[in-house]
Amino acid sequence: FSQDIVILNSERVARDLLERRSYNYSTRPPSLMRVLDFFGAEFSSIFLPYSDRWRLHRRIFHQAFRAEAAPSFRPIQMSNAHNMVLNLLHSSVEYGTHFHTFSTSVIMSIVYDY
């Protein structure tokens, strides 16, 4: 798509560029932003350009999903695990669907409090 691509083979250099100089590299291409605006995706965190709003979304996301917050999700995971085991006992042939339902339920419960 007529874009330059840089491949880094050093973790130190990648960390320096992506963490210490994130302001230069954390935004989205302007052409992509115009397309996303057309489709109404400007509210989504993953499509936000680097800005104060992006930093606010990042801060909120980090507070909710940092490693120290994981134990608070244990009751949700256990409740959904119990439901999955009951579903497996009821219909073990559908195990793929039960695992999919379990993972989706955990995500929906944590992210949307559903």
Side-chain angles (χ1 to χ4, degrees), residues 85-92 98:
V85 169
L86 291 174
N87 289 335
L88 285 169
L89 289 172
H90 183 263
S91 172
S92 61
H98 299 317

Side-chain angles (χ1 to χ4, degrees), residues 34-65:
R34 285 190 296 276
V35 171
L36 293 174
D37 287 344
F38 179 74
F39 289 107
E42 69 274 357
F43 65 88
S44 180
S45 296
I46 62 171
F47 296 125
L48 287 174
Y50 191 78
S51 63
D52 290 338
R53 186 174 178 198
W54 179 88
R55 284 191 294 276
L56 173 66
H57 281 235
R58 175 77 170 95
R59 189 175 329 123
I60 292 169
F61 183 84
H62 179 71
Q63 288 172 352
F65 295 108

Side-chain angles (χ1 to χ4, degrees), residues 70-90:
S72 67
F73 303 134
R74 183 67 48 112
I76 294 169
Q77 293 168 327
M78 290 303 293
S79 173
N80 284 296
H82 287 268
N83 289 336
M84 183 183 69
V85 169
L86 291 174
N87 289 335
L88 285 169
L89 289 172
H90 183 263

Side-chain angles (χ1 to χ4, degrees), residues 14-52:
R15 190 174 302 276
D16 183 51
L17 291 174
L18 299 175
E19 288 183 0
R20 295 193 184 115
R21 300 180 194 178
S22 62
Y23 180 79
N24 296 330
Y25 305 105
S26 292
T27 196
R28 309 301 182 261
S31 58
L32 175 65
M33 296 311 297
R34 285 190 296 276
V35 171
L36 293 174
D37 287 344
F38 179 74
F39 289 107
E42 69 274 357
F43 65 88
S44 180
S45 296
I46 62 171
F47 296 125
L48 287 174
Y50 191 78
S51 63
D52 290 338

